[in-house]
Amino acid sequence: MRNDAEVLSRISYILANSFYDIKYFKWSKENEKEFYVDINNNNGYFMIVINYEGSALVKVNSQPYYALDGYHNTFPLPEGKIRVNALFSPYKAFGQKVEINPGTPVIFRRNEDAYKLWAYLNATLQLAKNSQDYLREKLLKVLTETLSLVPFVSVSRDQLLLASKYWNDFPSHLLEFSQEMKYEEFHEGNYKEALTYLKEKLGELRETFGKAGELIGFAHAHMDTAWLWNFDETRRKVARTFSTVLNLMSKYDFQYIQSMALYYEWIKEDYPELFNKIKEKVKEGKWILGAGWVEFDANLPSGESIARQLLYSQEFYLSNFGKIAEILWLPDTFGFSAQLPQIMKLSGIKYFATHKVFWNDTNKFPYSVFNWIGIDGTSIPSIAFGNGKGGYNSEFTVDSVMSQWNNWKDKDQPMLYSYGYGDGGGGPTEDMLNFAEAINELPSLPKVKLTGGIPEYKPENSWSDELYVETHRGVYTSHSKMKYLHRRAECALRDAEIWSTIAGRYDKEIVNLWKILLKDEFHDVLPGSAINEVYKIVYPELEGIISKANKIIDESIKAIAGEGDRLMFFNSLSWDREDVAVVNEELPNSQKVDEGYLVIVKVPSVGYSEYKEVKYSPVKVDGLLMENGYLKVKLDENGSILSIFDKEENREIIKSPSKLIFYENIPGWADAWDIEKSYKDTYFEVKAYKYEIKERGPIRACIRFYYKFRNSEITQDVCLNANSRRIDFKTRTKIPDRELLLKAWYYFDLNSTEAVYEIPFGVIKRKTTASNSWELAKFEVPFIKWMDIYEDDYGVALLNDGKYGIAVERSNVGISLAKTPIYPDYETDSEENVFTYSIYPHKGNWIYAEVYKRAYELNYPIRATKGKGGEKSFVSVNPRNIILEALKPSEDGNGIILRLYNIENNRGIGEIKLWKSPNTAYKTNILENEKLEDVNINKDEISFNYRNYEIISIKIE
């Protein structure tokens, strides 16, 4: 009986013998990137391209046909006289730049029986290697008997060469010292009979050992929108991958899943004939759509950004394919907000699928199939797949199937198995499809099904929390400028939609701006884990969004303001506010500052007011002490906060001086992604080397501190406004030094073991203790505009305008300000970055203090213009816990959509006063295609019932 090595040698020769009638060609050069060869194919030839460098889209007679991408180099040729073109790009699959070499095109005929026998023998040998005792003996016996039916006769040097270029596991030693070998080509063995015999014997073994459950395979190609390569290369990857999949579908019966509507838009624009073929496969149910404009980061974008990810993707699918996606497929995203289930349900999504929870570094995620329950109680059937070898890029090897099946918790339900090369694209190969067929015949492994769509999973377990991924905690912080510009773009688009809609001059260009923003929310771009070249594209894009949106805002509020020379102030938030505004002219009781003149104004909810003086108690500064009517803030010459004393509540907030600390952080390959668990082991406390009083009031007092560490520079203005409890830290950094994490720590005198954090369209509470492994793993967590720690009747919030990572240890808060990896972008945060974060002490808990409003106010400054004067509120919302997040024209053009959300865990009746009286009003979903619930109308007021943490979309006509 043969052993493993002896079997491997023989099946290697069988693969080699499957190649015959081998002919070498040379490319002709079309240009520096494109090459062609003319073939007269009248004998069913295949082509293999050997020794190429780069990646290429293969075209046949000018039509996209296949890929050369490091995983695919062999394809069948159509019959007749054909021209084969290879359009190269100078990148390998993972972005490595190379000099283009088109290699050598070789045509051959293939003995299909020999090839199929090789695939079956290969899979059987893999199972034998992974089996023990009786089953292993039986498998080796069957292999030995099968191989005896196809004894080795001969092999040519060319057959060996092509086999080695085709199969990575081919014994390479056979090519050494054999350059002059002249043995004859052989391809006429009893391969068909041997395959029949092998199948019969495997059938007998199945009767003895049975099959273990069922596997449903989804061919897939995870293609990062940008990562170690730029967007334009991904666009080429998409064309190559989709061409390959469609080619394979012409021969094999399987299903393919692909998310990201952006990719379909690219294909529609670049290769409409390919797009039409995809439409056919979608109609057949073989091509499964995944929701999302891209596979977005699910922690950092606003709720409205995620809503637009789903709205615009589903809109594209419905318009082009006649159906929407039923699954949100996010295999590689770095964590998932607890409000995502409700957003999914409101977007027509039935299932959620990810792999990333199995990257946890502390705890094992306990489920495979589960109901994911969001903060509002919405439940979405969810699948955690790829728990084992191969993950979401599996290769349909026995090793991979066994590994994942052993870890699949719900063996009474089909295991979702994602196969195909990915991250850099590529997708399934012909070998994978044949291995799948073979595995279905093998004993003791699951039955394999490659079609049928998404199974109707029936979860027995539930998960009622965020899906926090216990790794990649650094992505909340890497690339400060990315985070800051993204926040500014989100805010600018919100205001552009609100004011242009009210002004009756909505610009459809806003949708295009949204789609650029959505593209840049891809899960390696917004998190800051892409190469520098990506951000050279993204930063100007985001700056362009901000600029164009601001232009729309300015034109809209000027149209609303009308003609006149009276100074008017506009507030886009859905509550009346008193706040500081900046103007470019001196006014009574104003304060001159670098950016203009500060004034305190009152402006109604989503409205405007004419300038009127507001009484205020001036803020004062005396050395390193700032004081207003609410707070006394004492600093030292090092820049530390020594004391924040609440005058109204007569209590001290600080228990020990604040610190600015650089930590050494060298986490290995995931340099931009990770924060080491041991990051505190090596640290450098930074103290200011000088300070100056920058502003002395009466509206704002600021003390500027200057810091230097190695070659890095930080300036920080600590500011206190009159009539405000908010202390701002206006920070400017330039950090060329590498492998550092910069945190600002504040040690609050509070008795608290939990904190509340803003998440998309809601909040989440997290423990701030480390009482168990799940809490311990959350040593750095994401938040958006604010977080709050609190006692029953007092608390302190931390607000920001572009920071997302934070550590909270009981009442000690460490906000992450910068992270400076070397890989994959050694220039991360070396440029100048400007941002503001704030401390907000308050009476009562976060609800009583309306902390969320203060965070919005930091991010949405009041705007000023000249006009007719007067005062008007266009939209006012009650009660206070209902927040207006968007106001825009409906997608059908027949009305207006107001998107709101309830930030509290309560129910009640909401009331909105509008600037006009609607004829109809009703609740709808995010897709705006379903009437959920009537809304009461009383002239220009509407009222509606709301539920706990509800996301509310109201259409008015």
Side-chain angles (χ1 to χ4, degrees):
M1 189 166 62
R2 303 291 182 191
N3 64 27
D4 296 356
E6 292 165 346
V7 172
L8 178 63
S9 296
R10 284 164 174 77
I11 68 173
S12 300
Y13 281 130
I14 291 171
L15 176 63
N17 289 153
S18 72
F19 298 88
Y20 71 99
D21 196 9
I22 298 166
K23 299 176 183 179
Y24 292 80
F25 283 76
K26 289 185 178 180
W27 296 107
S28 296
K29 190 173 184 180
E30 190 89 37
N31 54 52
E32 293 300 317
K33 293 184 178 180
E34 189 163 7
F35 305 84
Y36 69 92
V37 62
D38 292 321
I39 305 287
N40 187 7
N41 180 25
N42 52 14
N43 280 307
Y45 280 103
F46 285 70
M47 177 177 282
I48 183 170
V49 182
I50 62 175
N51 302 328
Y52 65 89
E53 289 288 336
S55 302
L57 174 64
V58 175
K59 297 181 180 181
V60 173
N61 295 336
S62 302
Q63 297 300 307
Y65 189 75
Y66 214 75
L68 301 175
D69 58 14
Y71 311 117
H72 303 85
N73 65 356
T74 304
F75 45 90
L77 295 173
E79 293 290 315
K81 292 183 178 180
I82 58 173
R83 171 165 287 190
V84 180
N85 287 65
L87 178 59
F88 273 86
S89 71
Y91 298 97
K92 290 187 175 182
F94 277 77
Q96 308 96 319
K97 193 162 186 178
V98 296
E99 188 174 334
I100 291 173
N101 179 353
T104 302
V106 184
I107 67 170
F108 65 92
R109 294 162 70 190
R110 186 166 79 181
N111 186 315
E112 292 292 343
D113 293 326
Y115 168 71
K116 185 77 78 172
L117 178 61
W118 165 78
Y120 268 71
L121 290 168
N122 194 342
T124 306
L125 176 59
Q126 290 178 39
L127 181 58
K129 287 180 176 179
N130 283 278
S131 302
Q132 295 179 344
D133 303 330
Y134 188 53
L135 177 57
R136 172 175 167 79
E137 285 184 24
K138 286 293 185 182
L139 289 168
L140 287 174
K141 185 173 186 292
V142 169
L143 286 166
T144 301
E145 291 169 352
T146 302
L147 288 168
S148 70
L149 299 176
V150 281
F152 174 76
V153 175
S154 181
V155 69
S156 72
R157 164 75 184 181
D158 286 342
Q159 286 180 309
L160 292 175
L161 177 64
L162 293 198
S164 72
K165 299 298 182 181
Y166 182 84
W167 185 29
N168 289 336
D169 292 335
F170 188 83
S172 59
H173 69 273
L174 293 173
L175 292 167
E176 297 173 4
F177 313 111
S178 61
Q179 289 83 351
E180 305 302 321
M181 192 174 86
K182 304 296 183 184
Y183 294 125
E184 291 185 3
E185 192 178 81
F186 180 82
H187 67 277
E188 296 178 344
N190 296 319
Y191 304 116
K192 189 172 184 177
E193 293 82 352
L195 181 59
T196 300
Y197 179 83
L198 176 59
K199 287 183 176 181
E200 289 175 356
K201 292 299 179 181
L202 291 176
E204 293 173 7
L205 291 178
R206 286 199 305 277
E207 290 181 7
T208 302
F209 295 95
K211 294 289 284 181
E214 184 179 58
L215 170 161
I216 183 157
F218 288 83
H220 174 54
H222 185 63
M223 288 179 279
D224 288 341
T225 309
W227 178 30
L228 304 178
W229 53 88
N230 225 319
F231 298 100
D232 57 348
E233 179 63 12
T234 300
R235 194 163 184 154
R236 292 186 285 268
K237 286 175 182 286
V238 170
R240 295 193 294 260
T241 299
F242 286 6
S243 298
T244 300
V245 172
L246 289 167
N247 189 296
L248 290 170
M249 281 183 168
S250 67
K251 181 177 179 181
Y252 294 92
D253 189 19
F254 67 98
Q255 61 194 3
Y256 176 78
I257 189 167
Q258 182 65 62
S259 61
M260 299 194 261
L262 172 64
Y263 293 179
Y264 297 97
E265 184 178 75
W266 282 346
I267 287 295
K268 185 178 181 181
E269 293 172 356
D270 297 346
Y271 299 103
E273 67 283 357
L274 213 59
F275 185 76
N276 288 332
K277 290 180 181 179
I278 293 171
K279 287 176 74 172
E280 293 174 10
K281 295 301 177 183
V282 171
K283 188 175 181 180
E284 293 172 11
K286 299 294 178 60
W287 194 294
I288 298 168
L289 305 170
W293 195 249
V294 296
E295 288 184 11
F296 52 90
D297 183 276
N299 282 320
L300 310 185
S302 69
E304 190 59 29
S305 284
I306 296 176
R308 301 302 173 96
Q309 285 280 353
L310 302 182
L311 168 63
Y312 293 140
S313 63
Q314 298 287 48
E315 199 172 66
F316 182 91
Y317 293 152
L318 191 61
S319 173
N320 289 277
F321 301 120
K323 65 193 301 185
I324 63 173
E326 294 187 342
I327 189 167
L328 182 58
W329 177 269
L330 296 177
D332 194 33
T333 294
F334 311 146
F336 309 94
S337 151
Q339 185 65 301
L340 201 53
Q342 186 182 179
I343 299 174
M344 285 191 280
K345 185 176 182 180
L346 291 170
S347 303
I349 292 166
K350 296 180 179 179
Y351 297 100
F352 171 72
T354 188
H355 160 75
K356 207 66 177 184
V357 290
F358 297 123
W359 283 51
N360 281 5
D361 59 19
T362 305
N363 300 283
K364 288 185 178 181
F365 189 75
Y367 306 130
S368 298
V369 178
F370 60 100
N371 281 316
W372 183 17
I373 301 174
I375 58 173
D376 72 312
T378 296
S379 179
I380 290 285
S382 301
I383 309 103
F385 67 91
N387 186 10
K389 186 176 181 181
Y392 56 82
N393 296 326
S394 299
E395 299 178 28
F396 241 125
T397 61
V398 171
D399 288 5
S400 172
V401 170
M402 289 183 70
S403 171
Q404 293 187 32
W405 179 254
N406 288 338
N407 293 327
W408 181 256
K409 306 294 185 184
D410 301 89
K411 291 185 168 58
D412 59 334
Q413 302 191 61
M415 179 178 80
L416 193 156
Y417 185 80
S418 171
Y419 64 96
Y421 290 108
D423 291 330
T429 66
E430 187 175 21
D431 291 351
M432 293 177 191
L433 295 165
N434 280 285
F435 291 157
E437 180 184 316
I439 288 170
N440 193 44
E441 302 261 2
L442 290 173
S444 80
L445 296 179
K447 296 175 184 177
V448 174
K449 188 178 178 184
L450 298 184
T451 58
I454 302 163
E456 292 187 10
Y457 286 111
K458 297 178 180 178
E460 297 178 359
N461 298 295
S462 296
W463 183 267
S464 299
D465 197 358
E466 64 186 331
L467 289 171
Y468 177 86
V469 174
E470 296 174 355
T471 187
H472 293 359
R473 301 169 182 89
V475 299
Y476 316 141
T477 302
S478 286
H479 268 284
S480 292
K481 192 171 183 180
M482 179 69 225
K483 270 71 170 179
Y484 182 80
L485 290 176
H486 175 263
R487 178 78 64 80
R488 301 278 66 71
E490 285 183 320
C491 295
L493 285 174
R494 175 189 180 274
D495 280 9
E497 284 188 327
I498 288 174
W499 293 123
S500 65
T501 301
I502 290 172
R505 50 188 298 142
Y506 179 79
D507 190 336
K508 292 184 178 179
E509 174 64 14
I510 291 174
V511 174
N512 295 327
L513 297 179
W514 263 113
K515 288 179 179 178
I516 295 170
L517 180 69
L518 301 182
K519 171 180 71 72
D520 294 341
E521 289 175 348
F522 177 73
H523 68 249
D524 269 311
V525 178
L526 176 55
S529 48
I531 58 173
N532 184 260
E533 287 77 3
V534 171
Y535 297 102
K536 288 179 180 176
I537 299 293
V538 171
Y539 289 169
E541 284 183 339
L542 294 175
E543 288 165 345
I545 292 170
I546 296 163
S547 175
K548 291 174 183 176
N550 278 330
K551 183 180 178 184
I552 293 169
I553 294 166
D554 290 342
E555 291 172 350
S556 298
I557 64 175
K558 284 177 182 175
I560 295 169
E563 297 294 327
D565 59 1
R566 296 188 177 185
L567 193 56
M568 299 170 65
F569 295 90
F570 282 74
N571 165 35
S572 70
L573 301 178
S574 52
W575 53 85
D576 299 346
R577 63 193 278 203
E578 178 184 306
D579 210 340
V580 174
V582 179
V583 295
N584 56 13
E585 61 183 273
E586 188 172 7
L587 296 169
N589 293 321
S590 63
Q591 178 185 339
K592 179 73 173 74
V593 293
D594 289 347
E595 57 264 45
Y597 293 88
L598 301 180
V599 291
I600 296 178
V601 296
K602 290 182 178 179
V603 193
S605 167
V606 192
Y608 63 81
S609 65
E610 184 178 342
Y611 175 66
K612 296 176 183 177
E613 285 189 48
V614 175
K615 293 182 179 180
Y616 62 89
S617 175
V619 63
K620 300 175 182 177
V621 59
D622 180 10
L624 289 166
L625 177 68
M626 295 184 291
E627 183 176 358
N628 65 13
Y630 301 104
L631 303 173
K632 287 183 181 179
V633 180
K634 185 177 181 181
L635 302 102
D636 69 12
E637 61 185 12
N638 299 318
S640 294
I641 302 287
L642 300 180
S643 170
I644 300 174
F645 186 79
D646 189 324
K647 295 162 65 175
E648 282 192 323
E649 296 300 297
N650 194 34
R651 70 175 287 173
E652 176 59 51
I653 297 159
I654 298 295
K655 65 183 176 185
S656 62
S658 64
K659 294 179 180 179
L660 196 61
I661 301 178
F662 277 106
Y663 297 94
E664 182 179 276
N665 185 71
I666 311 176
W669 76 266
D671 203 1
W673 292 261
D674 284 355
I675 294 175
E676 296 169 305
K677 291 183 180 181
S678 60
Y679 76 91
K680 289 186 179 180
D681 286 358
T682 302
Y683 65 92
F684 311 92
E685 185 178 346
V686 186
K687 298 181 179 181
Y689 64 87
K690 72 172 183 178
Y691 71 90
E692 60 180 320
I693 299 173
K694 187 69 177 173
E695 296 170 8
R696 295 181 176 273
I699 294 176
R700 185 171 71 193
C702 291
I703 304 175
R704 176 170 294 178
F705 294 89
Y706 296 83
Y707 302 83
K708 188 170 178 61
F709 174 72
R710 295 176 183 166
N711 299 301
S712 300
E713 297 177 355
I714 303 167
T715 61
Q716 191 167 70
D717 292 356
V718 183
C719 301
L720 181 65
N721 290 348
N723 286 13
S724 176
R725 286 178 157 273
R726 199 180 83 199
I727 305 159
D728 292 338
F729 297 79
K730 301 169 71 173
T731 309
R732 189 178 302 267
T733 66
K734 191 171 185 179
I735 310 177
D737 299 295
R738 299 294 88 192
E739 305 291 28
L740 296 169
L741 171 67
L742 175 62
K743 277 183 170 290
W745 281 97
Y746 298 93
Y747 308 97
F748 298 118
D749 190 9
L750 292 167
N751 182 34
S752 177
T753 58
E754 71 174 14
V756 64
Y757 307 76
E758 186 193 27
I759 61 174
F761 282 143
V763 297
I764 190 170
K765 292 179 181 178
R766 301 181 180 115
K767 287 291 185 180
T768 61
T769 52
S771 301
N772 56 58
S773 61
W774 294 93
E775 293 178 10
L776 194 65
K778 294 185 179 183
F779 62 84
E780 181 88 358
V781 294
F783 72 128
I784 304 184
K785 294 187 291 293
W786 63 274
M787 61 77 56
D788 192 89
I789 53 175
Y790 50 89
E791 300 169 346
D792 291 344
D793 60 354
Y794 198 87
V796 178
L798 199 144
L799 325 173
N800 75 85
D801 69 358
K803 291 294 158 188
Y804 295 87
I806 200 162
V808 185
E809 301 169 0
R810 293 189 71 90
S811 61
N812 302 330
V813 178
I815 183 170
S816 293
L817 305 182
K819 188 174 183 300
T820 64
I822 289 177
Y823 179 81
D825 179 9
Y826 59 84
E827 293 185 356
T828 302
D829 271 23
S830 60
E831 75 277 76
E832 185 171 88
N833 284 288
V834 179
F835 52 86
T836 298
Y837 63 93
S838 309
I839 291 174
Y840 181 71
H842 57 81
K843 295 187 288 186
N845 62 16
W846 66 273
I847 294 172
Y848 175 85
E850 300 180 318
V851 165
Y852 44 90
K853 292 185 178 181
R854 307 296 84 81
Y856 270 89
E857 289 163 3
L858 176 64
N859 282 269
Y860 290 89
I862 289 171
R863 295 174 183 265
T865 192
K866 291 286 185 72
K868 63 192 175 188
E871 182 175 311
K872 183 178 179 65
S873 172
F874 295 96
V875 181
S876 61
V877 182
N878 280 304
R880 66 181 187 176
N881 49 293
I882 305 298
I883 297 173
L884 177 69
E885 190 71 352
L887 190 159
K888 71 178 192 71
S890 60
E891 294 299 301
D892 63 11
N894 295 328
I896 291 172
I897 297 293
L898 295 95
R899 185 120 52 234
L900 312 103
Y901 68 99
N902 176 16
I903 200 166
E904 295 179 18
N905 185 26
N906 60 17
R907 306 180 188 191
I909 297 175
E911 299 173 336
I912 303 175
K913 185 174 176 61
L914 300 165
W915 72 102
K916 60 180 182 178
S917 299
N919 296 316
T920 62
Y922 59 86
K923 281 189 185 180
T924 184
N925 58 14
I926 286 172
L927 304 186
E928 305 172 22
N929 63 0
E930 190 176 342
K931 185 176 180 179
L932 301 179
E933 186 180 316
D934 285 323
V935 168
N936 297 318
I937 303 173
N938 181 13
K939 295 181 180 179
D940 60 352
E941 295 183 5
I942 60 175
S943 61
F944 53 92
N945 295 315
Y946 65 83
R947 296 177 62 84
N948 315 63
Y949 296 127
E950 183 181 358
I951 301 165
I952 305 156
S953 299
I954 295 176
K955 183 177 183 181
I956 60 172
E957 296 177 354

